[in-house]
Amino acid sequence: MAERDPALATKTPPEAANSEGLGADRSKGISWSELMAQDSRPAPAILTEESYTYRGSEPIPAERYTSEAFAQLERERMWPCVWQFAAREEDLPEPGDFVVYENAGRSYLVSRQDDGSIRAMHNVCLHRGRKLRTEEGTTDKFVCPFHGFAWNKDGSFNSMPCQWDFPHLNEQSLDLPEAEVGRWAGYVFIREEKGGPSLEQFLAPLPEHFKRWRHEECASVMRVAKEVPANWKVVMEAFMEAWHTIVTHPQLLPFTGDSNAAYWTWGDNVNVNLVPFGVMSPHIEEGQGEQWIVDQFIRYNGRSADNYEEAARDNPMAIAVPEGVSARAALGEAMRKAYTASTGYDHAEATDAELLDALVYNVFPNFSPWGGFMPNVVYNWRTGKTPDTCIMEVRILSRIPKGQPIPRGAPLKMLRLDQKWTEAPELGILGDVFEQDMDNLPYVQEGLHVSKTGKINLGNYQEIRIRQFQDTLMKYIGGELGGWRQD
């Protein structure tokens, strides 16, 4: 753990830093814990038990975001050793279905087998190196389009033309190299290098938290990805704190407790940002009443089925707030009834927080599923061809009505570097919100390249998730975690 600034340390004993010192300051206005105490339903421990540890206040070197040499260290020492989110079960529901997952200089075929299992193989012909597939599909046999070398859907070698000319190759040595596969709650993960913590160990305590929200009962109803002109860490870290809302997304302030949010971390891999909705930002000095909060929430929240223009009249969130009732409580009650009716699952015990709020989890290094019972956002980020670009993907998961089979997931819409998020109309108002982020991120990347100090500075509390991520990343780069060890 990093050392504290000596001037600050003289004011606060190190042993008191977690609760009374560095990282203990909070924004004015209602706190997350106070909000949970006021919830319409008793909040579970996963929403009330704080988990914060001060991690130092030293700057982060800008070169971690700009240097090709550092990106190479990530590819060598980190990416092969971590569990990476590659697909959802509904992306490949039938035997022979496969997806192509690419990241950090590797390409994989993630393929459903006849027995329902899933295998992952490197997507490279062992003859002359052509990629076997460039898009998802269905097949029982991967045939190289160059010379016709072929592999079965489990990665075992099938056949090749002119086998007589390859007496030096035996069939056993021609099976496609495999990656490990792990599955949890409808999510499919792969790990290039075998060994290390199991998927369940790597994700902990995420599986325990998500038992309430049962993502295995959900399906991907929308998928959009876009190339972004910034490093994958720059883009990901923009979604690891809520307080940029103040300047970047001012239209959200009437219903978003941006700097009243909670920030918790667990171990090396998991953290959460709990952002309350249905309450005014502490940066609004004078609001216009509880009904105004609801009206603005309907227009701009981005997670309701019909959240803008004329369609809002059919939105279950479009309610009249009763006298003496808070906007948050009224919205919670409306959504409790709406989700019970639409899904067939009883939501009577669901808290307002689980029905309304952005419960944004991150799993190291690049996987971010939202908790709660609303349609759930799932983010993930992948490296680009250079440190200055990346791919950001957004899914929306929706709960399938009780008793109905999980449908095949929505196809991916891929946006080019020169396209805007708003060119994916299925994103609704989220496309506009992401474009506001795009007004910052390319210039963050440019700024990091030209920075005189070569450093960035982080807040002790609201940016603790970024600090935890950077700490874990450097454990892999330095060899404390992963398969690499210093000679």
Side-chain angles (χ1 to χ4, degrees), residues 34-157:
E34 291 168 336
L35 199 62
M36 289 302 95
Q38 296 177 11
D39 202 284
S40 301
R41 301 291 187 274
I46 59 174
L47 296 179
T48 61
E49 293 183 356
E50 182 175 0
S51 182
Y52 172 84
T53 302
Y54 173 72
R55 290 173 171 264
S57 303
E58 73 283 1
I60 303 296
E63 66 180 0
R64 294 184 191 175
Y65 304 88
T66 60
S67 164
E68 172 55 34
F70 191 85
Q72 181 62 29
L73 290 175
E74 292 176 350
R75 291 191 291 269
E76 292 175 355
R77 301 179 181 181
M78 186 271 286
W79 287 112
C81 304
V82 296
W83 287 104
Q84 301 180 48
F85 166 54
R88 284 275 304 175
E89 297 269 0
E90 67 269 16
D91 297 340
L92 56 164
E94 301 296 332
D97 289 346
F98 68 91
V99 300
V100 175
Y101 172 72
E102 296 187 315
N103 186 37
R106 291 283 189 259
S107 182
Y108 303 90
L109 297 166
V110 183
S111 174
R112 179 78 70 176
Q113 305 302 303
D114 291 334
D115 63 359
S117 65
I118 296 175
R119 303 187 76 163
M121 297 79 66
H122 287 257
N123 180 28
V124 177
C125 176
L126 298 181
H127 172 218
R128 298 265 290 276
R130 190 197 193 280
K131 285 184 179 178
L132 296 171
R133 290 290 187 274
T134 58
E135 296 179 341
E136 63 186 44
T138 301
T139 189
D140 283 329
K141 189 164 57 176
F142 297 107
V143 181
C144 179
F146 195 2
H147 293 92
F149 276 61
W151 285 266
N152 300 313
K153 63 175 175 283
D154 65 357
S156 60
F157 180 69

